[in-house]
Amino acid sequence: SHTSKQWFIAVLSNSVEGMLGIPDDFPNQAMTGKFKKILLPSIKFAANKQLFNPGSVPPMLMTTKALSYNHHAFGAVTLNVQPKEKQLIIKQLKAQSPLLSGDVHGIWQISKQHYQTNLDGWVSSDNIQKLFQTWKIHSSLVGTKGRAKFSLAWPDAPYKLDLKALQGDVNLQLGSGWI
């Protein structure tokens, strides 16, 4: 349907349910999405020597009440991004669920024929042990709540976190429990 300033597209499938709004002057204004659910399978990215320009991602503000990726529930999620030349500015990536909360912002850019990702933010859980069990992460951590504030960078895309090349700071605060 169309209003005086934008088009609305209803999306209804087993994996996605919600509404997408595309303004008449897109991409000068952000595309918006309000979803009840987005269920994404695990995605395997093929090796590609030609780099994608993150600055070509359209501006968007997306919200969902329930995001799941590879069977990991992230709860309510907001994503707000704005392209700028050869970079994508991540204004906000926010998640809120019973086991995990977080708020992240940063930049994904292409520079000298490689990607660079810089992210700042925090994540917290009131029950890290239950979160790890739910996500099938093997850990000797017992009990405890925790919060991590971070400022991290790595020479690749946001979806390709490279622990060996990771640089930055993490302030980890854990509650009662043991390892």
Side-chain angles (χ1 to χ4, degrees):
S1 68
H2 187 265
T3 66
S4 61
K5 298 197 180 200
Q6 68 180 325
W7 288 93
F8 288 100
I9 302 166
V11 182
L12 182 59
S13 73
N14 290 337
S15 301
V16 179
E17 185 178 331
M19 187 73 69
L20 188 63
I22 303 173
D24 288 341
D25 61 348
F26 178 78
N28 294 325
Q29 284 194 342
M31 175 173 37
T32 59
K34 291 186 179 183
F35 298 92
K36 184 176 179 183
K37 67 176 180 179
I38 300 176
L39 310 175
L40 300 172
S42 176
I43 301 169
K44 294 188 180 184
F45 296 94
N48 188 350
K49 293 182 181 183
Q50 187 174 16
L51 297 178
F52 166 79
N53 177 4
S56 66
V57 172
M60 65 178 92
L61 173 58
M62 302 287 174
T63 61
T64 182
K65 292 180 180 178
L67 175 71
S68 173
Y69 173 71
N70 194 22
H71 305 289
H72 299 311
F74 289 91
V77 172
T78 298
L79 175 64
N80 186 356
V81 297
Q82 179 71 44
K84 182 180 177 185
E85 296 178 20
K86 293 187 175 185
Q87 60 187 11
L88 184 65
I89 299 167
I90 304 163
K91 292 180 171 184
Q92 184 178 47
L93 175 57
K94 184 177 182 178
Q96 179 69 46
S97 76
L99 293 176
L100 178 70
S101 298
D103 199 346
V104 178
H105 63 277
I107 296 175
W108 171 26
Q109 62 188 341
I110 186 170
S111 172
K112 299 179 184 175
Q113 299 304 317
H114 75 275
Y115 291 130
Q116 176 69 30
T117 298
N118 298 69
L119 295 177
D120 299 297
W122 61 268
V123 292
S124 70
S125 177
D126 286 338
N127 190 335
I128 297 172
Q129 182 179 5
K130 176 98 172 170
L131 175 67
F132 285 179
Q133 287 172 348
T134 302
W135 283 11
K136 297 181 178 142
I137 297 172
H138 299 289
S139 171
S140 58
L141 188 63
V142 176
T144 207
K145 58 171 75 176
R147 180 178 176 95
K149 291 182 183 180
F150 58 87
S151 180
L152 301 171
W154 62 95
D156 213 330
Y159 52 84
K160 288 189 172 181
L161 178 63
D162 182 353
L163 294 178
K164 292 179 184 175
L166 188 65
Q167 295 180 350
D169 297 309
V170 176
N171 177 340
L172 182 62
Q173 300 170 339
L174 295 174
S176 61
W178 65 87
I179 298 177

